[in-house]
Amino acid sequence: MNVREIVDKANNSLNEYCSDVCKSSCCKMGAIYTTDEYVDIVTQGNRDIAKKFEGSMFKVSTKPSCPSLDENNRCMIHEKDAHPRCCKRFPLMLINVEGDSYLLIYPDCKAIKEGKLDEFISKIKERGVKFLEVNDVDEKST
């Protein structure tokens, strides 16, 4: 299994945990940045709640919650595999910077804090991928 497959399997393993245990808190704490092709899907057809951000990007507020969450904290578009990359690749995101692979880890994720992905993270470390927590990225970009 390659690193991308491990990351995808790790993120996909959290579906029920996120809705049942965590109550999808990451989907309620800020914004989703998405492209024009996904904005209607994310907003459930209510494009008025999306603000033009930059280029073809839109910002959709997730306060008090993402418009695609149902009353049971389940993503209504998750099964369609049509959700934005930022949602699909949370809480682990594999990026490539100047030929080097990095795994971004969102340390505020409840599943990360509880060690739910430790087995996957160990497999990724074994493959020599460099790790960054989102806080590290924020500090390096300032």
Side-chain angles (χ1 to χ4, degrees):
M1 193 179 305
N2 68 38
V3 173
R4 164 62 55 217
E5 291 169 332
I6 296 169
V7 170
D8 289 346
K9 188 172 182 178
N11 289 335
N12 290 335
S13 75
L14 295 176
N15 293 343
E16 287 184 21
Y17 175 88
C18 292
S19 60
D20 297 343
V21 177
C22 178
K23 306 295 184 204
S24 301
S25 63
C26 64
C27 302
K28 301 174 183 176
M29 55 188 213
I32 294 171
Y33 295 89
T34 188
T35 59
D36 188 50
E37 71 179 300
Y38 292 111
V39 74
D40 287 322
I41 295 168
V42 172
T43 63
Q44 299 296 301
N46 184 6
R47 202 176 257 256
D48 293 340
I49 63 174
K51 306 290 183 230
K52 190 79 166 151
F53 181 65
E54 188 175 299
S56 64
M57 297 295 291
F58 286 84
K59 179 180 178 180
V60 179
S61 175
T62 58
K63 291 184 180 180
S65 75
C66 175
S68 292
L69 280 183
D70 69 14
E71 63 278 354
N72 296 313
N73 295 304
R74 295 195 186 274
C75 180
M76 294 184 283
I77 57 175
H78 202 76
E79 289 79 28
K80 299 176 187 176
D81 200 32
H83 45 296
R85 192 174 293 130
C86 66
C87 299
K88 189 176 189 175
R89 298 194 176 152
F90 189 87
L92 304 178
M93 184 179 292
L94 188 64
I95 62 168
N96 195 321
V97 179
E98 297 178 2
D100 289 328
S101 291
Y102 291 89
L103 185 73
L104 295 181
I105 299 176
Y106 292 84
D108 291 335
C109 170
K110 187 172 183 161
I112 295 289
K113 288 179 181 178
E114 292 182 5
K116 300 292 181 191
L117 299 178
D118 287 354
E119 178 185 336
F120 296 104
I121 291 171
S122 292
K123 288 179 183 178
I124 295 166
K125 281 183 179 177
E126 289 170 6
R127 286 161 174 77
V129 174
K130 298 171 184 145
F131 282 64
L132 290 172
E133 287 189 357
V134 171
N135 300 342
D136 294 337
V137 174
D138 292 340
E139 290 170 11
K140 290 179 183 185
S141 66
T142 55

